[in-house]
């Protein structure tokens, strides 16, 4: 099965740095890298050493941590970038060049034959300088590129036998899952190489597209914590985990899921963000049950309304009580939690009182607890 053999390339320290409020210092990067390593991601992608002197120093600092994960850096398709990247001691180099008409015209100005010539020159240079380094070649803006152009480039690079994997990038978030599946499966069939998918979330399809890539045979998915990145960011780590968990928990058993809340809180803090209320797994409403019929069923068997078990992430569910939609089963559960013995008729009467008061304003848990303890006396 395609979901049983994949790796995460965690790009919070590369793509994530391109998010509007992300400016990580060295100590913060080390903390993030250690957390991601403890979580169990297989690879960590960092900003190009040519971005700034500090970027290069930060790569060296992370390399010196001797983490279990492989440290990669993302570079443009040229020899100077490659030379500087290799000099940092990274485990892998991710080479990228744009292939869409827009990027050809407004970015680097090279024709497809010139792109191929440059790509072959750079990957050959890298492999000559570092025979054991993990080498990826990716096109940028793959889904606005002409398919014939893409395949010419991929096949030319694949035929060298020098790269470990090819990258497919939905750089502006325009692809449908069906398009991702079609392109990735075609490249897998033609090249028999590992395939990495990098999907932006501009139109809300990043997670679905990542899963479509895996279904088609992709072996690596790029993520960032909370999905931060350029514009609306890319596939969020927590979102990918949630999606795969609901397919089969075994697909994510290799990761320490209990660290996901800490990762989300850490990045939210460093980027001055609030974690969205509906964030995958760690949002404040992710395991909140309110309606009476929902609460009754969840109290009997949480799986009735939960596809994800919060305890697997070190979290707990919450039953909201102080509102007009509450049910007496939820009120009874609260009384039992408090160790109170109250008969069912009294509990039903308290529930009706809560509903009537909540028609004016929601009640706090303390108010409800006071009502229950008063009834128990």
């Amino acid at each position: 099965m395609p979901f049983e053999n994949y790796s995460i390339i965690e790009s919070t320290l590369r793509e994530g740095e391109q998010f509007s409020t992300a400016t990580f210092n060295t100590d913060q990067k080390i903390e993030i890298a250690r957390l991601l390593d403890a979580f169990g991601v297989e690879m960590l992608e960092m900003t190009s050493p040519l971005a700034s002197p500090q970027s290069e120093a930060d790569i060296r600092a992370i390399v010196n941590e001797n983490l279990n994960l492989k440290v990669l850096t993302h570079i443009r398709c040229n020899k100077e970038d490659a030379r500087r990247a290799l000099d940092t001691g990274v485990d892998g180099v991710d080479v990228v060049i744009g292939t869409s008409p827009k990027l050809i015209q407004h970015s680097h100005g090279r024709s497809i034959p010139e792109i191929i010539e440059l790509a072959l020159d750079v990957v050959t240079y890298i492999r000559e300088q570092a025979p054991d380094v993990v080498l990826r070649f990716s096109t940028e803006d793959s889904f606005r590129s002409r398919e014939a152009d893409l395949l010419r480039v991929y096949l030319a690079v694949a035929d060298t036998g020098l790269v470990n994997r090819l990258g497919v990038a939905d750089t502006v978030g325009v692809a449908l899952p069906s398009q991702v599946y079609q392109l990735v499966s075609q490249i897998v069939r033609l090249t028999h190489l590992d395939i990495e998918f990098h999907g932006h979330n501009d139109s809300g399809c990043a997670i679905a597209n990542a899963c479509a890539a895996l279904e088609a045979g992709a072996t690596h998915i790029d993520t960032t914590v909370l999905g931060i990145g350029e514009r609306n960011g890319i596939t969020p780590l927590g979102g990918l985990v949630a999606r795969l968990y609901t397919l089969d928990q075994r697909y994510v058993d290799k990761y320490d899921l209990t660290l996901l809340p800490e990762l989300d809180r850490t990045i939210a803090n460093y980027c001055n963000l609030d974690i969205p209320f509906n964030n995958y797994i760690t949002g404040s409403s992710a395991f909140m049950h309110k309606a009476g019929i929902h609460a009754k069923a969840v109290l009997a068997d949480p799986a009735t309304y939960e596809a994800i078990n919060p305890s697997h992430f070190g979290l707990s569910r919450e039953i909201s009580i102080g509102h007009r939609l509450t049910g007496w089963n939820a009120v009874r559960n609260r009384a039992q939690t408090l160790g109170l013995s109250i008969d069912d008729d009294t509990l039903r009467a308290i529930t009706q009182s809560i509903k009537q008061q909540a028609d004016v304003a929601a009640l706090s848990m303390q108010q409800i607890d006071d009502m229950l303890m008063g009834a128990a006396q």
Side-chain angles (χ1 to χ4, degrees), residues 145-168:
S145 301
R146 298 185 180 95
E147 186 174 291
D149 292 343
L150 277 179
L151 297 180
R152 284 178 64 190
V153 174
Y154 284 133
L155 287 170
V157 173
D159 285 346
T160 67
L162 300 176
V163 301
N164 300 97
R165 68 183 184 278
L166 298 171
V168 176

PDB file of all heavy atoms in Angstrom, residues 145-168:
ATOM      1  N   SER A 145       3.259  24.043 -15.733  1.00  0.00           N
ATOM      2  CA  SER A 145       4.230  23.746 -16.787  1.00  0.00           C
ATOM      3  C   SER A 145       3.569  22.879 -17.849  1.00  0.00           C
ATOM      4  O   SER A 145       2.583  22.187 -17.577  1.00  0.00           O
ATOM      5  CB  SER A 145       5.433  22.993 -16.201  1.00  0.00           C
ATOM      6  OG  SER A 145       6.074  23.752 -15.190  1.00  0.00           O
ATOM      7  N   ARG A 146       4.099  22.915 -19.059  1.00  0.00           N
ATOM      8  CA  ARG A 146       3.601  22.027 -20.106  1.00  0.00           C
ATOM      9  C   ARG A 146       4.064  20.605 -19.799  1.00  0.00           C
ATOM     10  O   ARG A 146       5.231  20.377 -19.499  1.00  0.00           O
ATOM     11  CB  ARG A 146       4.120  22.475 -21.471  1.00  0.00           C
ATOM     12  CG  ARG A 146       3.663  23.876 -21.881  1.00  0.00           C
ATOM     13  CD  ARG A 146       4.131  24.199 -23.301  1.00  0.00           C
ATOM     14  NE  ARG A 146       3.708  25.531 -23.702  1.00  0.00           N
ATOM     15  CZ  ARG A 146       4.458  26.630 -23.600  1.00  0.00           C
ATOM     16  NH1 ARG A 146       5.691  26.531 -23.095  1.00  0.00           N
ATOM     17  NH2 ARG A 146       4.003  27.801 -23.984  1.00  0.00           N
ATOM     18  N   GLU A 147       3.139  19.658 -19.873  1.00  0.00           N
ATOM     19  CA  GLU A 147       3.480  18.284 -19.512  1.00  0.00           C
ATOM     20  C   GLU A 147       4.650  17.755 -20.340  1.00  0.00           C
ATOM     21  O   GLU A 147       5.539  17.072 -19.805  1.00  0.00           O
ATOM     22  CB  GLU A 147       2.266  17.375 -19.686  1.00  0.00           C
ATOM     23  CG  GLU A 147       2.504  15.960 -19.205  1.00  0.00           C
ATOM     24  CD  GLU A 147       1.253  15.112 -19.258  1.00  0.00           C
ATOM     25  OE1 GLU A 147       0.324  15.377 -18.469  1.00  0.00           O
ATOM     26  OE2 GLU A 147       1.207  14.182 -20.092  1.00  0.00           O
ATOM     27  N   ALA A 148       4.670  18.073 -21.611  1.00  0.00           N
ATOM     28  CA  ALA A 148       5.767  17.591 -22.463  1.00  0.00           C
ATOM     29  C   ALA A 148       7.105  18.150 -21.992  1.00  0.00           C
ATOM     30  O   ALA A 148       8.125  17.444 -21.994  1.00  0.00           O
ATOM     31  CB  ALA A 148       5.515  17.975 -23.918  1.00  0.00           C
ATOM     32  N   ASP A 149       7.108  19.426 -21.563  1.00  0.00           N
ATOM     33  CA  ASP A 149       8.344  20.029 -21.050  1.00  0.00           C
ATOM     34  C   ASP A 149       8.790  19.335 -19.766  1.00  0.00           C
ATOM     35  O   ASP A 149       9.980  19.025 -19.590  1.00  0.00           O
ATOM     36  CB  ASP A 149       8.128  21.519 -20.774  1.00  0.00           C
ATOM     37  CG  ASP A 149       7.925  22.334 -22.052  1.00  0.00           C
ATOM     38  OD1 ASP A 149       8.276  21.826 -23.138  1.00  0.00           O
ATOM     39  OD2 ASP A 149       7.415  23.467 -21.952  1.00  0.00           O
ATOM     40  N   LEU A 150       7.827  19.112 -18.867  1.00  0.00           N
ATOM     41  CA  LEU A 150       8.148  18.455 -17.602  1.00  0.00           C
ATOM     42  C   LEU A 150       8.793  17.095 -17.833  1.00  0.00           C
ATOM     43  O   LEU A 150       9.833  16.768 -17.248  1.00  0.00           O
ATOM     44  CB  LEU A 150       6.878  18.250 -16.777  1.00  0.00           C
ATOM     45  CG  LEU A 150       6.349  19.407 -15.930  1.00  0.00           C
ATOM     46  CD1 LEU A 150       5.073  18.982 -15.236  1.00  0.00           C
ATOM     47  CD2 LEU A 150       7.389  19.834 -14.901  1.00  0.00           C
ATOM     48  N   LEU A 151       8.163  16.306 -18.677  1.00  0.00           N
ATOM     49  CA  LEU A 151       8.653  14.949 -18.895  1.00  0.00           C
ATOM     50  C   LEU A 151      10.025  14.956 -19.555  1.00  0.00           C
ATOM     51  O   LEU A 151      10.871  14.106 -19.244  1.00  0.00           O
ATOM     52  CB  LEU A 151       7.643  14.150 -19.711  1.00  0.00           C
ATOM     53  CG  LEU A 151       6.286  13.945 -19.024  1.00  0.00           C
ATOM     54  CD1 LEU A 151       5.357  13.135 -19.914  1.00  0.00           C
ATOM     55  CD2 LEU A 151       6.455  13.268 -17.661  1.00  0.00           C
ATOM     56  N   ARG A 152      10.272  15.895 -20.448  1.00  0.00           N
ATOM     57  CA  ARG A 152      11.604  16.003 -21.060  1.00  0.00           C
ATOM     58  C   ARG A 152      12.660  16.255 -19.987  1.00  0.00           C
ATOM     59  O   ARG A 152      13.735  15.625 -19.982  1.00  0.00           O
ATOM     60  CB  ARG A 152      11.641  17.134 -22.087  1.00  0.00           C
ATOM     61  CG  ARG A 152      10.972  16.835 -23.412  1.00  0.00           C
ATOM     62  CD  ARG A 152      11.041  18.054 -24.324  1.00  0.00           C
ATOM     63  NE  ARG A 152      12.433  18.398 -24.677  1.00  0.00           N
ATOM     64  CZ  ARG A 152      12.773  19.526 -25.292  1.00  0.00           C
ATOM     65  NH1 ARG A 152      11.835  20.426 -25.600  1.00  0.00           N
ATOM     66  NH2 ARG A 152      14.030  19.763 -25.608  1.00  0.00           N
ATOM     67  N   VAL A 153      12.357  17.166 -19.081  1.00  0.00           N
ATOM     68  CA  VAL A 153      13.311  17.518 -18.032  1.00  0.00           C
ATOM     69  C   VAL A 153      13.514  16.341 -17.076  1.00  0.00           C
ATOM     70  O   VAL A 153      14.647  15.948 -16.771  1.00  0.00           O
ATOM     71  CB  VAL A 153      12.838  18.767 -17.263  1.00  0.00           C
ATOM     72  CG1 VAL A 153      13.759  19.045 -16.074  1.00  0.00           C
ATOM     73  CG2 VAL A 153      12.793  19.987 -18.191  1.00  0.00           C
ATOM     74  N   TYR A 154      12.405  15.779 -16.586  1.00  0.00           N
ATOM     75  CA  TYR A 154      12.514  14.672 -15.631  1.00  0.00           C
ATOM     76  C   TYR A 154      13.261  13.475 -16.223  1.00  0.00           C
ATOM     77  O   TYR A 154      14.120  12.870 -15.573  1.00  0.00           O
ATOM     78  CB  TYR A 154      11.127  14.223 -15.173  1.00  0.00           C
ATOM     79  CG  TYR A 154      10.459  15.141 -14.175  1.00  0.00           C
ATOM     80  CD1 TYR A 154       9.132  15.529 -14.341  1.00  0.00           C
ATOM     81  CD2 TYR A 154      11.138  15.600 -13.049  1.00  0.00           C
ATOM     82  CE1 TYR A 154       8.499  16.351 -13.430  1.00  0.00           C
ATOM     83  CE2 TYR A 154      10.515  16.426 -12.136  1.00  0.00           C
ATOM     84  CZ  TYR A 154       9.190  16.796 -12.324  1.00  0.00           C
ATOM     85  OH  TYR A 154       8.575  17.622 -11.400  1.00  0.00           O
ATOM     86  N   LEU A 155      12.922  13.115 -17.449  1.00  0.00           N
ATOM     87  CA  LEU A 155      13.557  11.950 -18.069  1.00  0.00           C
ATOM     88  C   LEU A 155      15.043  12.181 -18.301  1.00  0.00           C
ATOM     89  O   LEU A 155      15.861  11.272 -18.109  1.00  0.00           O
ATOM     90  CB  LEU A 155      12.854  11.599 -19.379  1.00  0.00           C
ATOM     91  CG  LEU A 155      11.470  10.962 -19.213  1.00  0.00           C
ATOM     92  CD1 LEU A 155      10.757  10.868 -20.556  1.00  0.00           C
ATOM     93  CD2 LEU A 155      11.583   9.578 -18.581  1.00  0.00           C
ATOM     94  N   ALA A 156      15.403  13.396 -18.694  1.00  0.00           N
ATOM     95  CA  ALA A 156      16.822  13.693 -18.919  1.00  0.00           C
ATOM     96  C   ALA A 156      17.610  13.569 -17.621  1.00  0.00           C
ATOM     97  O   ALA A 156      18.712  13.005 -17.584  1.00  0.00           O
ATOM     98  CB  ALA A 156      16.974  15.097 -19.499  1.00  0.00           C
ATOM     99  N   VAL A 157      17.049  14.088 -16.522  1.00  0.00           N
ATOM    100  CA  VAL A 157      17.736  14.005 -15.225  1.00  0.00           C
ATOM    101  C   VAL A 157      17.752  12.566 -14.719  1.00  0.00           C
ATOM    102  O   VAL A 157      18.779  12.077 -14.220  1.00  0.00           O
ATOM    103  CB  VAL A 157      17.062  14.949 -14.205  1.00  0.00           C
ATOM    104  CG1 VAL A 157      17.651  14.738 -12.812  1.00  0.00           C
ATOM    105  CG2 VAL A 157      17.219  16.412 -14.625  1.00  0.00           C
ATOM    106  N   ALA A 158      16.618  11.887 -14.848  1.00  0.00           N
ATOM    107  CA  ALA A 158      16.541  10.501 -14.371  1.00  0.00           C
ATOM    108  C   ALA A 158      17.523   9.599 -15.111  1.00  0.00           C
ATOM    109  O   ALA A 158      18.129   8.703 -14.510  1.00  0.00           O
ATOM    110  CB  ALA A 158      15.120   9.975 -14.527  1.00  0.00           C
ATOM    111  N   ASP A 159      17.697   9.851 -16.404  1.00  0.00           N
ATOM    112  CA  ASP A 159      18.578   8.999 -17.212  1.00  0.00           C
ATOM    113  C   ASP A 159      20.039   9.091 -16.802  1.00  0.00           C
ATOM    114  O   ASP A 159      20.837   8.208 -17.142  1.00  0.00           O
ATOM    115  CB  ASP A 159      18.437   9.355 -18.696  1.00  0.00           C
ATOM    116  CG  ASP A 159      17.138   8.819 -19.297  1.00  0.00           C
ATOM    117  OD1 ASP A 159      16.497   7.965 -18.648  1.00  0.00           O
ATOM    118  OD2 ASP A 159      16.770   9.262 -20.403  1.00  0.00           O
ATOM    119  N   THR A 160      20.403  10.140 -16.059  1.00  0.00           N
ATOM    120  CA  THR A 160      21.799  10.239 -15.600  1.00  0.00           C
ATOM    121  C   THR A 160      22.112   9.202 -14.536  1.00  0.00           C
ATOM    122  O   THR A 160      23.280   8.851 -14.328  1.00  0.00           O
ATOM    123  CB  THR A 160      22.087  11.628 -15.014  1.00  0.00           C
ATOM    124  OG1 THR A 160      21.327  11.801 -13.798  1.00  0.00           O
ATOM    125  CG2 THR A 160      21.747  12.734 -15.999  1.00  0.00           C
ATOM    126  N   GLY A 161      21.077   8.755 -13.833  1.00  0.00           N
ATOM    127  CA  GLY A 161      21.294   7.826 -12.730  1.00  0.00           C
ATOM    128  C   GLY A 161      21.955   8.468 -11.524  1.00  0.00           C
ATOM    129  O   GLY A 161      22.452   7.761 -10.638  1.00  0.00           O
ATOM    130  N   LEU A 162      21.947   9.791 -11.459  1.00  0.00           N
ATOM    131  CA  LEU A 162      22.693  10.510 -10.419  1.00  0.00           C
ATOM    132  C   LEU A 162      21.824  10.982  -9.261  1.00  0.00           C
ATOM    133  O   LEU A 162      22.359  11.301  -8.189  1.00  0.00           O
ATOM    134  CB  LEU A 162      23.415  11.713 -11.036  1.00  0.00           C
ATOM    135  CG  LEU A 162      24.435  11.396 -12.139  1.00  0.00           C
ATOM    136  CD1 LEU A 162      24.994  12.686 -12.735  1.00  0.00           C
ATOM    137  CD2 LEU A 162      25.565  10.532 -11.585  1.00  0.00           C
ATOM    138  N   VAL A 163      20.505  11.079  -9.456  1.00  0.00           N
ATOM    139  CA  VAL A 163      19.647  11.642  -8.408  1.00  0.00           C
ATOM    140  C   VAL A 163      18.903  10.541  -7.668  1.00  0.00           C
ATOM    141  O   VAL A 163      18.600   9.486  -8.228  1.00  0.00           O
ATOM    142  CB  VAL A 163      18.651  12.670  -8.980  1.00  0.00           C
ATOM    143  CG1 VAL A 163      19.386  13.807  -9.667  1.00  0.00           C
ATOM    144  CG2 VAL A 163      17.653  12.017  -9.918  1.00  0.00           C
ATOM    145  N   ASN A 164      18.605  10.820  -6.398  1.00  0.00           N
ATOM    146  CA  ASN A 164      17.867   9.867  -5.576  1.00  0.00           C
ATOM    147  C   ASN A 164      16.361   9.998  -5.732  1.00  0.00           C
ATOM    148  O   ASN A 164      15.627   9.017  -5.615  1.00  0.00           O
ATOM    149  CB  ASN A 164      18.221  10.056  -4.099  1.00  0.00           C
ATOM    150  CG  ASN A 164      19.699   9.843  -3.838  1.00  0.00           C
ATOM    151  OD1 ASN A 164      20.459  10.806  -3.781  1.00  0.00           O
ATOM    152  ND2 ASN A 164      20.112   8.587  -3.694  1.00  0.00           N
ATOM    153  N   ARG A 165      15.904  11.233  -5.983  1.00  0.00           N
ATOM    154  CA  ARG A 165      14.465  11.420  -6.150  1.00  0.00           C
ATOM    155  C   ARG A 165      14.198  12.656  -7.001  1.00  0.00           C
ATOM    156  O   ARG A 165      15.052  13.537  -7.142  1.00  0.00           O
ATOM    157  CB  ARG A 165      13.734  11.508  -4.812  1.00  0.00           C
ATOM    158  CG  ARG A 165      14.027  12.748  -3.998  1.00  0.00           C
ATOM    159  CD  ARG A 165      13.305  12.717  -2.643  1.00  0.00           C
ATOM    160  NE  ARG A 165      13.526  13.962  -1.943  1.00  0.00           N
ATOM    161  CZ  ARG A 165      14.607  14.242  -1.240  1.00  0.00           C
ATOM    162  NH1 ARG A 165      15.567  13.347  -1.132  1.00  0.00           N
ATOM    163  NH2 ARG A 165      14.730  15.422  -0.637  1.00  0.00           N
ATOM    164  N   LEU A 166      12.980  12.694  -7.537  1.00  0.00           N
ATOM    165  CA  LEU A 166      12.498  13.830  -8.311  1.00  0.00           C
ATOM    166  C   LEU A 166      11.399  14.535  -7.521  1.00  0.00           C
ATOM    167  O   LEU A 166      10.630  13.883  -6.797  1.00  0.00           O
ATOM    168  CB  LEU A 166      11.950  13.364  -9.660  1.00  0.00           C
ATOM    169  CG  LEU A 166      12.949  12.677 -10.596  1.00  0.00           C
ATOM    170  CD1 LEU A 166      12.227  12.080 -11.798  1.00  0.00           C
ATOM    171  CD2 LEU A 166      14.025  13.663 -11.055  1.00  0.00           C
ATOM    172  N   GLY A 167      11.337  15.850  -7.661  1.00  0.00           N
ATOM    173  CA  GLY A 167      10.334  16.619  -6.937  1.00  0.00           C
ATOM    174  C   GLY A 167       9.282  17.193  -7.860  1.00  0.00           C
ATOM    175  O   GLY A 167       9.576  17.654  -8.965  1.00  0.00           O
ATOM    176  N   VAL A 168       8.046  17.137  -7.399  1.00  0.00           N
ATOM    177  CA  VAL A 168       6.903  17.734  -8.092  1.00  0.00           C
ATOM    178  C   VAL A 168       6.338  18.801  -7.173  1.00  0.00           C
ATOM    179  O   VAL A 168       6.059  18.526  -5.998  1.00  0.00           O
ATOM    180  CB  VAL A 168       5.833  16.676  -8.409  1.00  0.00           C
ATOM    181  CG1 VAL A 168       4.612  17.318  -9.043  1.00  0.00           C
ATOM    182  CG2 VAL A 168       6.394  15.589  -9.310  1.00  0.00           C
TER     183      VAL A 168
END
